[in-house]
């Protein structure tokens, strides 16, 4: 549902909005409907306090959070606890959420070219202040540019929801004893 329907639909809507063939109100209504759908799907997964934790957010200046909401569903489906912080979150708050929740992974959603500079600063702050065993990653249209500028490894760039799922699976396997 996510990779084949929801995400392509939202890309299509975004392209139509940029082209001027639909209005902001149409994009906002579609976003609200998709958000409600993703919230409903997420509510179906059982929560476990002992599961590994992933923190999801968008950095300062980034308001497009549907990718993070979709990633939340992917993480829950794989048995992860999710600390979902939303959009436009300061680096210090993401760090605090990571520490308080004992996060194994912190993933940022980055879409807008106008938000690359603050996203890079946020990724650098995360790399500097989070424990070295926390995986820091970025996904979205500008993720590669942001990660490279922040000095993160190319493997930290999430290129699809399937890739995000594989990252979580690898992280869980590497953290498991034996």
């Amino acid at each position: 549902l996510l990779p084949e329907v929801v995400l392509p639909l939202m890309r299509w809507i975004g392209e139509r909005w940029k082209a001027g063939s639909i209005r902001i109100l149409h994009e906002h209504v579609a976003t609200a409907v998709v958000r409600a759908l993703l919230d409903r799907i997420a509510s179906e997964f059982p929560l476990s306090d002992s599961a590994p934790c992933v923190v999801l957010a968008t950095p300062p200046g980034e308001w497009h959070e549907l990718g993070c909401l979709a990633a939340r569903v992917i993480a829950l489906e794989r048995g992860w606890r999710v600390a979902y912080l939303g959009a436009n979150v300061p680096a210090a708050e993401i760090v605090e959420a990571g520490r308080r929740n004992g996060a194994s992974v912190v993933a940022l959603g980055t879409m807008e070219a106008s938000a690359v500079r603050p996203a890079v600063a946020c990724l650098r702050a995360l790399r500097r202040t989070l424990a070295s065993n926390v995986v820091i990653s970025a996904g979205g249209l500008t993720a590669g540019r942001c990660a490279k500028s922040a000095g993160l490894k190319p493997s930290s760039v999430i290129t699809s929801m399937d890739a995000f799922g594989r990252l979580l699976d690898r992280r869980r396997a590497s953290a498991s004893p034996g």
Side-chain angles (χ1 to χ4, degrees):
L1 178 66
L2 292 176
E4 293 179 24
V5 178
V6 174
L7 297 175
L9 170 66
M10 293 312 296
R11 273 191 292 278
W12 183 86
I13 289 169
E15 290 165 3
R16 297 296 132 350
W17 172 76
K18 284 183 181 178
S21 60
I22 67 170
R23 298 177 62 111
I24 290 173
L25 73 95
H26 300 114
E27 186 271 336
H28 282 223
V29 168
T31 297
V33 169
V34 169
R35 173 190 292 283
L37 172 66
L38 294 174
D39 285 346
R40 176 71 175 123
I41 293 169
S43 73
E44 296 296 320
F45 292 98
L47 299 176
S48 169
D49 290 339
S50 63
C53 180
V54 58
V55 173
L56 299 170
T58 73
E62 179 61 67
W63 293 96
H64 294 89
E65 63 180 324
L66 284 182
C68 284
L69 287 168
R72 175 180 65 160
V73 171
I74 299 297
L76 290 167
E77 177 182 52
R78 285 177 156 71
W80 283 69
R81 279 185 303 119
V82 177
Y84 178 74
L85 306 181
N88 190 37
V89 182
E93 300 305 315
I94 297 169
V95 167
E96 183 63 18
R99 288 180 178 155
R100 284 184 184 240
N101 289 285
S104 297
V105 175
V106 173
L108 300 184
T110 64
M111 296 292 290
E112 286 297 319
S114 62
V116 166
R117 188 172 274 153
V120 169
C122 184
L123 287 167
R124 286 179 178 155
L126 296 177
R127 195 181 74 216
R128 246 189 347 267
T129 55
L130 287 171
S132 61
N133 65 333
V134 176
V135 173
I136 300 168
S137 59
L141 294 178
T142 61
R145 192 166 136 201
C146 293
K148 183 177 181 180
S149 295
L152 299 181
K153 297 175 186 174
S155 61
S156 68
V157 178
I158 301 164
T159 57
S160 68
M161 287 299 154
D162 286 339
F164 181 61
R166 289 190 301 273
L167 178 145
L168 294 177
D169 293 344
R170 283 191 311 274
R171 179 65 179 120
R172 179 176 259 172
S174 70
S176 296

